[in-house]
Amino acid sequence: MTDRYSRQQLFKQIGSKGQEKIGNKHVLIVGVGALGSAGAEAFVRAGIGKLTIIDRDYVEWSNLQRQQLYNENDAEGQIPKAIAAGKHLKQINSEVEIKALVMDATPNNLENLLSDVDVLIDGTDNFDIRFILNDLSHKYNIPWIYGSCVGSYGATYTVIPGRTPCLHCILKKVPIGGATCDTSGIISSAVQIVSAYQIAEALKILVDDFATLRKTFLTFDVWSNQHYTIKLEKIKKESCPTCGTVRTYPYLSYENQTKTEVLCGRNTVQIRPARNIAYSFDQIEKQLKAHGKVTRNPYLVSCQLQNYRLVIFRDGRVFIHGTNNIQFAKSLYYRLLG
């Protein structure tokens, strides 16, 4: 008999019965950057039964300062975050069932994964995906936990369908800035605090201790020693299209799915084809060698041009680094890959 979880079971709010519940639950984390990788490691160490992680990006050197699951080999090899995270998580706890997916968090992709999910964790860096999570949470009655951080600031909120205001309800009432890690920087302590709150709230849900869930929107600035909570119970709207009496789930509709976008705070455009394209990496490598230095691994092909870099993924998505001009990025994409 292993004592792997003995210290956690000594915490009376979890105990042996709670540990058994955790071992039978499924958490889905969308985005395994700073928040997502911290959360993923914590859930695996806590003995979650099943963990699904989704991320569309790969490990870069600038990630290593705060994204704790990754190392220099991952950055050197441009390994997709989901793949690198899955490998390291298995080394931490081989008992956990881990599903690691390199893909965009679209409504269709996510809906196919929700049949037995108990908690959704926000590890993203943009509100388009958060609104998708918000809609899915209410459509399928799955709690989700919002989290964000930039600079020394962080925020988190727990959404329980049918009980709390949702993201649609609160956005006009809660100030949420437009700064990002790529424009304002970030310190790792802000990440760890937000993640700690997310994990604590998730554990309460996993052991069915809903009475102790925090009912406020929490914000803090760890550098200036500020800490605020905002009560939100009264702002729940019956007219809300996500959690109100007539629900339309607007962010699950096809027309609201971004096909071409500037990645949050980055000088990078992502182009996502209307349908998945099964690229031949051998053909792509041969095609791009005429334009620049090409490197590849089993998951992506990268081509360094004079001023730009293209990264092509297995599912047909393309990152064009070095520009935030969507029209230019599309013209470069069609010229080199069309």
PDB file of all heavy atoms in Angstrom, residues 26-54:
ATOM      1  N   HIS A  26     -12.352  13.631 -13.365  1.00  0.00           N
ATOM      2  CA  HIS A  26     -11.697  14.029 -14.615  1.00  0.00           C
ATOM      3  C   HIS A  26     -11.656  15.548 -14.697  1.00  0.00           C
ATOM      4  O   HIS A  26     -12.693  16.210 -14.618  1.00  0.00           O
ATOM      5  CB  HIS A  26     -12.491  13.450 -15.800  1.00  0.00           C
ATOM      6  CG  HIS A  26     -11.934  13.777 -17.147  1.00  0.00           C
ATOM      7  ND1 HIS A  26     -12.611  13.496 -18.320  1.00  0.00           N
ATOM      8  CD2 HIS A  26     -10.763  14.362 -17.548  1.00  0.00           C
ATOM      9  CE1 HIS A  26     -11.899  13.882 -19.353  1.00  0.00           C
ATOM     10  NE2 HIS A  26     -10.773  14.427 -18.906  1.00  0.00           N
ATOM     11  N   VAL A  27     -10.469  16.099 -14.836  1.00  0.00           N
ATOM     12  CA  VAL A  27     -10.269  17.544 -15.004  1.00  0.00           C
ATOM     13  C   VAL A  27      -9.766  17.807 -16.420  1.00  0.00           C
ATOM     14  O   VAL A  27      -8.896  17.088 -16.921  1.00  0.00           O
ATOM     15  CB  VAL A  27      -9.251  18.088 -13.979  1.00  0.00           C
ATOM     16  CG1 VAL A  27      -8.864  19.533 -14.306  1.00  0.00           C
ATOM     17  CG2 VAL A  27      -9.830  18.004 -12.565  1.00  0.00           C
ATOM     18  N   LEU A  28     -10.324  18.840 -17.052  1.00  0.00           N
ATOM     19  CA  LEU A  28      -9.853  19.274 -18.375  1.00  0.00           C
ATOM     20  C   LEU A  28      -9.260  20.664 -18.244  1.00  0.00           C
ATOM     21  O   LEU A  28      -9.923  21.581 -17.749  1.00  0.00           O
ATOM     22  CB  LEU A  28     -10.997  19.262 -19.386  1.00  0.00           C
ATOM     23  CG  LEU A  28     -10.623  19.507 -20.858  1.00  0.00           C
ATOM     24  CD1 LEU A  28     -11.657  18.851 -21.788  1.00  0.00           C
ATOM     25  CD2 LEU A  28     -10.522  20.986 -21.202  1.00  0.00           C
ATOM     26  N   ILE A  29      -8.005  20.810 -18.653  1.00  0.00           N
ATOM     27  CA  ILE A  29      -7.317  22.105 -18.619  1.00  0.00           C
ATOM     28  C   ILE A  29      -7.126  22.599 -20.043  1.00  0.00           C
ATOM     29  O   ILE A  29      -6.548  21.904 -20.882  1.00  0.00           O
ATOM     30  CB  ILE A  29      -5.948  21.998 -17.928  1.00  0.00           C
ATOM     31  CG1 ILE A  29      -6.110  21.503 -16.483  1.00  0.00           C
ATOM     32  CG2 ILE A  29      -5.236  23.349 -17.944  1.00  0.00           C
ATOM     33  CD1 ILE A  29      -4.797  21.329 -15.744  1.00  0.00           C
ATOM     34  N   VAL A  30      -7.614  23.796 -20.310  1.00  0.00           N
ATOM     35  CA  VAL A  30      -7.466  24.397 -21.640  1.00  0.00           C
ATOM     36  C   VAL A  30      -6.336  25.409 -21.576  1.00  0.00           C
ATOM     37  O   VAL A  30      -6.456  26.454 -20.933  1.00  0.00           O
ATOM     38  CB  VAL A  30      -8.771  25.058 -22.097  1.00  0.00           C
ATOM     39  CG1 VAL A  30      -8.592  25.656 -23.499  1.00  0.00           C
ATOM     40  CG2 VAL A  30      -9.914  24.052 -22.097  1.00  0.00           C
ATOM     41  N   GLY A  31      -5.225  25.068 -22.214  1.00  0.00           N
ATOM     42  CA  GLY A  31      -4.028  25.897 -22.179  1.00  0.00           C
ATOM     43  C   GLY A  31      -3.075  25.432 -21.101  1.00  0.00           C
ATOM     44  O   GLY A  31      -3.421  25.448 -19.917  1.00  0.00           O
ATOM     45  N   VAL A  32      -1.896  24.976 -21.494  1.00  0.00           N
ATOM     46  CA  VAL A  32      -0.906  24.545 -20.505  1.00  0.00           C
ATOM     47  C   VAL A  32       0.350  25.411 -20.603  1.00  0.00           C
ATOM     48  O   VAL A  32       1.455  24.940 -20.740  1.00  0.00           O
ATOM     49  CB  VAL A  32      -0.563  23.034 -20.608  1.00  0.00           C
ATOM     50  CG1 VAL A  32      -1.636  22.204 -19.958  1.00  0.00           C
ATOM     51  CG2 VAL A  32      -0.324  22.593 -22.036  1.00  0.00           C
ATOM     52  N   GLY A  33       0.113  26.726 -20.535  1.00  0.00           N
ATOM     53  CA  GLY A  33       1.201  27.676 -20.385  1.00  0.00           C
ATOM     54  C   GLY A  33       1.516  27.817 -18.904  1.00  0.00           C
ATOM     55  O   GLY A  33       1.640  26.822 -18.189  1.00  0.00           O
ATOM     56  N   ALA A  34       1.570  29.044 -18.408  1.00  0.00           N
ATOM     57  CA  ALA A  34       1.954  29.265 -17.016  1.00  0.00           C
ATOM     58  C   ALA A  34       0.919  28.698 -16.044  1.00  0.00           C
ATOM     59  O   ALA A  34       1.215  27.821 -15.229  1.00  0.00           O
ATOM     60  CB  ALA A  34       2.153  30.758 -16.780  1.00  0.00           C
ATOM     61  N   LEU A  35      -0.323  29.186 -16.132  1.00  0.00           N
ATOM     62  CA  LEU A  35      -1.363  28.699 -15.223  1.00  0.00           C
ATOM     63  C   LEU A  35      -1.669  27.230 -15.451  1.00  0.00           C
ATOM     64  O   LEU A  35      -1.804  26.449 -14.507  1.00  0.00           O
ATOM     65  CB  LEU A  35      -2.645  29.515 -15.398  1.00  0.00           C
ATOM     66  CG  LEU A  35      -2.679  30.912 -14.791  1.00  0.00           C
ATOM     67  CD1 LEU A  35      -4.002  31.591 -15.113  1.00  0.00           C
ATOM     68  CD2 LEU A  35      -2.465  30.854 -13.288  1.00  0.00           C
ATOM     69  N   GLY A  36      -1.807  26.843 -16.706  1.00  0.00           N
ATOM     70  CA  GLY A  36      -2.197  25.473 -17.012  1.00  0.00           C
ATOM     71  C   GLY A  36      -1.171  24.444 -16.595  1.00  0.00           C
ATOM     72  O   GLY A  36      -1.527  23.364 -16.092  1.00  0.00           O
ATOM     73  N   SER A  37       0.114  24.755 -16.767  1.00  0.00           N
ATOM     74  CA  SER A  37       1.129  23.775 -16.387  1.00  0.00           C
ATOM     75  C   SER A  37       1.238  23.661 -14.870  1.00  0.00           C
ATOM     76  O   SER A  37       1.426  22.573 -14.325  1.00  0.00           O
ATOM     77  CB  SER A  37       2.490  24.118 -17.008  1.00  0.00           C
ATOM     78  OG  SER A  37       2.986  25.355 -16.556  1.00  0.00           O
ATOM     79  N   ALA A  38       1.071  24.786 -14.164  1.00  0.00           N
ATOM     80  CA  ALA A  38       1.077  24.731 -12.700  1.00  0.00           C
ATOM     81  C   ALA A  38      -0.103  23.911 -12.199  1.00  0.00           C
ATOM     82  O   ALA A  38       0.028  23.065 -11.305  1.00  0.00           O
ATOM     83  CB  ALA A  38       1.029  26.141 -12.117  1.00  0.00           C
ATOM     84  N   GLY A  39      -1.273  24.142 -12.784  1.00  0.00           N
ATOM     85  CA  GLY A  39      -2.452  23.383 -12.388  1.00  0.00           C
ATOM     86  C   GLY A  39      -2.336  21.914 -12.720  1.00  0.00           C
ATOM     87  O   GLY A  39      -2.688  21.051 -11.904  1.00  0.00           O
ATOM     88  N   ALA A  40      -1.828  21.608 -13.910  1.00  0.00           N
ATOM     89  CA  ALA A  40      -1.697  20.214 -14.320  1.00  0.00           C
ATOM     90  C   ALA A  40      -0.803  19.445 -13.371  1.00  0.00           C
ATOM     91  O   ALA A  40      -1.117  18.314 -12.957  1.00  0.00           O
ATOM     92  CB  ALA A  40      -1.140  20.146 -15.745  1.00  0.00           C
ATOM     93  N   GLU A  41       0.331  20.039 -13.000  1.00  0.00           N
ATOM     94  CA  GLU A  41       1.229  19.359 -12.072  1.00  0.00           C
ATOM     95  C   GLU A  41       0.554  19.130 -10.721  1.00  0.00           C
ATOM     96  O   GLU A  41       0.668  18.053 -10.127  1.00  0.00           O
ATOM     97  CB  GLU A  41       2.516  20.164 -11.876  1.00  0.00           C
ATOM     98  CG  GLU A  41       3.477  19.484 -10.911  1.00  0.00           C
ATOM     99  CD  GLU A  41       4.813  20.175 -10.794  1.00  0.00           C
ATOM    100  OE1 GLU A  41       5.192  20.939 -11.713  1.00  0.00           O
ATOM    101  OE2 GLU A  41       5.494  19.944  -9.773  1.00  0.00           O
ATOM    102  N   ALA A  42      -0.173  20.122 -10.235  1.00  0.00           N
ATOM    103  CA  ALA A  42      -0.828  19.990  -8.934  1.00  0.00           C
ATOM    104  C   ALA A  42      -1.889  18.893  -8.947  1.00  0.00           C
ATOM    105  O   ALA A  42      -1.991  18.103  -7.998  1.00  0.00           O
ATOM    106  CB  ALA A  42      -1.458  21.321  -8.530  1.00  0.00           C
ATOM    107  N   PHE A  43      -2.683  18.809 -10.014  1.00  0.00           N
ATOM    108  CA  PHE A  43      -3.723  17.782 -10.080  1.00  0.00           C
ATOM    109  C   PHE A  43      -3.120  16.382 -10.169  1.00  0.00           C
ATOM    110  O   PHE A  43      -3.616  15.435  -9.552  1.00  0.00           O
ATOM    111  CB  PHE A  43      -4.640  18.032 -11.275  1.00  0.00           C
ATOM    112  CG  PHE A  43      -5.573  19.195 -11.087  1.00  0.00           C
ATOM    113  CD1 PHE A  43      -5.546  20.270 -11.960  1.00  0.00           C
ATOM    114  CD2 PHE A  43      -6.477  19.216 -10.034  1.00  0.00           C
ATOM    115  CE1 PHE A  43      -6.394  21.348 -11.782  1.00  0.00           C
ATOM    116  CE2 PHE A  43      -7.330  20.296  -9.848  1.00  0.00           C
ATOM    117  CZ  PHE A  43      -7.284  21.366 -10.725  1.00  0.00           C
ATOM    118  N   VAL A  44      -2.043  16.251 -10.930  1.00  0.00           N
ATOM    119  CA  VAL A  44      -1.390  14.949 -11.047  1.00  0.00           C
ATOM    120  C   VAL A  44      -0.788  14.537  -9.709  1.00  0.00           C
ATOM    121  O   VAL A  44      -0.908  13.379  -9.289  1.00  0.00           O
ATOM    122  CB  VAL A  44      -0.325  14.994 -12.165  1.00  0.00           C
ATOM    123  CG1 VAL A  44       0.642  13.830 -12.054  1.00  0.00           C
ATOM    124  CG2 VAL A  44      -1.013  14.974 -13.536  1.00  0.00           C
ATOM    125  N   ARG A  45      -0.161  15.465  -9.011  1.00  0.00           N
ATOM    126  CA  ARG A  45       0.403  15.140  -7.703  1.00  0.00           C
ATOM    127  C   ARG A  45      -0.699  14.830  -6.686  1.00  0.00           C
ATOM    128  O   ARG A  45      -0.495  14.049  -5.753  1.00  0.00           O
ATOM    129  CB  ARG A  45       1.278  16.290  -7.207  1.00  0.00           C
ATOM    130  CG  ARG A  45       2.564  16.469  -8.010  1.00  0.00           C
ATOM    131  CD  ARG A  45       3.512  17.458  -7.364  1.00  0.00           C
ATOM    132  NE  ARG A  45       4.689  17.677  -8.194  1.00  0.00           N
ATOM    133  CZ  ARG A  45       5.758  16.879  -8.228  1.00  0.00           C
ATOM    134  NH1 ARG A  45       5.779  15.793  -7.468  1.00  0.00           N
ATOM    135  NH2 ARG A  45       6.799  17.154  -9.010  1.00  0.00           N
ATOM    136  N   ALA A  46      -1.882  15.443  -6.866  1.00  0.00           N
ATOM    137  CA  ALA A  46      -3.001  15.214  -5.949  1.00  0.00           C
ATOM    138  C   ALA A  46      -3.709  13.893  -6.210  1.00  0.00           C
ATOM    139  O   ALA A  46      -4.556  13.487  -5.417  1.00  0.00           O
ATOM    140  CB  ALA A  46      -3.993  16.364  -6.032  1.00  0.00           C
ATOM    141  N   GLY A  47      -3.390  13.233  -7.348  1.00  0.00           N
ATOM    142  CA  GLY A  47      -3.976  11.933  -7.628  1.00  0.00           C
ATOM    143  C   GLY A  47      -5.270  11.968  -8.408  1.00  0.00           C
ATOM    144  O   GLY A  47      -6.123  11.076  -8.253  1.00  0.00           O
ATOM    145  N   ILE A  48      -5.452  12.984  -9.254  1.00  0.00           N
ATOM    146  CA  ILE A  48      -6.641  13.017 -10.102  1.00  0.00           C
ATOM    147  C   ILE A  48      -6.711  11.735 -10.937  1.00  0.00           C
ATOM    148  O   ILE A  48      -5.681  11.209 -11.359  1.00  0.00           O
ATOM    149  CB  ILE A  48      -6.632  14.278 -10.997  1.00  0.00           C
ATOM    150  CG1 ILE A  48      -7.978  14.483 -11.669  1.00  0.00           C
ATOM    151  CG2 ILE A  48      -5.531  14.180 -12.063  1.00  0.00           C
ATOM    152  CD1 ILE A  48      -9.064  14.891 -10.716  1.00  0.00           C
ATOM    153  N   GLY A  49      -7.921  11.252 -11.177  1.00  0.00           N
ATOM    154  CA  GLY A  49      -8.043  10.011 -11.939  1.00  0.00           C
ATOM    155  C   GLY A  49      -7.681  10.182 -13.403  1.00  0.00           C
ATOM    156  O   GLY A  49      -6.959   9.370 -13.981  1.00  0.00           O
ATOM    157  N   LYS A  50      -8.189  11.267 -14.010  1.00  0.00           N
ATOM    158  CA  LYS A  50      -7.946  11.497 -15.434  1.00  0.00           C
ATOM    159  C   LYS A  50      -7.727  12.988 -15.653  1.00  0.00           C
ATOM    160  O   LYS A  50      -8.428  13.825 -15.074  1.00  0.00           O
ATOM    161  CB  LYS A  50      -9.141  11.014 -16.264  1.00  0.00           C
ATOM    162  CG  LYS A  50      -8.978  11.185 -17.767  1.00  0.00           C
ATOM    163  CD  LYS A  50     -10.192  10.634 -18.515  1.00  0.00           C
ATOM    164  CE  LYS A  50     -10.055  10.821 -20.026  1.00  0.00           C
ATOM    165  NZ  LYS A  50     -11.259  10.293 -20.741  1.00  0.00           N
ATOM    166  N   LEU A  51      -6.747  13.308 -16.470  1.00  0.00           N
ATOM    167  CA  LEU A  51      -6.437  14.697 -16.794  1.00  0.00           C
ATOM    168  C   LEU A  51      -6.328  14.831 -18.305  1.00  0.00           C
ATOM    169  O   LEU A  51      -5.555  14.115 -18.945  1.00  0.00           O
ATOM    170  CB  LEU A  51      -5.120  15.128 -16.149  1.00  0.00           C
ATOM    171  CG  LEU A  51      -4.662  16.559 -16.449  1.00  0.00           C
ATOM    172  CD1 LEU A  51      -5.587  17.569 -15.767  1.00  0.00           C
ATOM    173  CD2 LEU A  51      -3.216  16.784 -15.997  1.00  0.00           C
ATOM    174  N   THR A  52      -7.113  15.756 -18.865  1.00  0.00           N
ATOM    175  CA  THR A  52      -6.991  16.090 -20.287  1.00  0.00           C
ATOM    176  C   THR A  52      -6.408  17.490 -20.393  1.00  0.00           C
ATOM    177  O   THR A  52      -6.893  18.414 -19.728  1.00  0.00           O
ATOM    178  CB  THR A  52      -8.355  16.039 -20.996  1.00  0.00           C
ATOM    179  OG1 THR A  52      -8.875  14.709 -20.926  1.00  0.00           O
ATOM    180  CG2 THR A  52      -8.220  16.430 -22.462  1.00  0.00           C
ATOM    181  N   ILE A  53      -5.357  17.630 -21.210  1.00  0.00           N
ATOM    182  CA  ILE A  53      -4.734  18.939 -21.411  1.00  0.00           C
ATOM    183  C   ILE A  53      -4.740  19.264 -22.898  1.00  0.00           C
ATOM    184  O   ILE A  53      -4.480  18.406 -23.740  1.00  0.00           O
ATOM    185  CB  ILE A  53      -3.294  18.985 -20.852  1.00  0.00           C
ATOM    186  CG1 ILE A  53      -2.434  17.836 -21.395  1.00  0.00           C
ATOM    187  CG2 ILE A  53      -3.324  18.956 -19.335  1.00  0.00           C
ATOM    188  CD1 ILE A  53      -0.982  17.895 -20.937  1.00  0.00           C
ATOM    189  N   ILE A  54      -5.044  20.521 -23.187  1.00  0.00           N
ATOM    190  CA  ILE A  54      -5.153  20.996 -24.562  1.00  0.00           C
ATOM    191  C   ILE A  54      -4.308  22.251 -24.711  1.00  0.00           C
ATOM    192  O   ILE A  54      -4.386  23.156 -23.874  1.00  0.00           O
ATOM    193  CB  ILE A  54      -6.609  21.335 -24.913  1.00  0.00           C
ATOM    194  CG1 ILE A  54      -7.502  20.087 -24.853  1.00  0.00           C
ATOM    195  CG2 ILE A  54      -6.711  21.977 -26.285  1.00  0.00           C
ATOM    196  CD1 ILE A  54      -8.969  20.427 -24.887  1.00  0.00           C
TER     197      ILE A  54
END
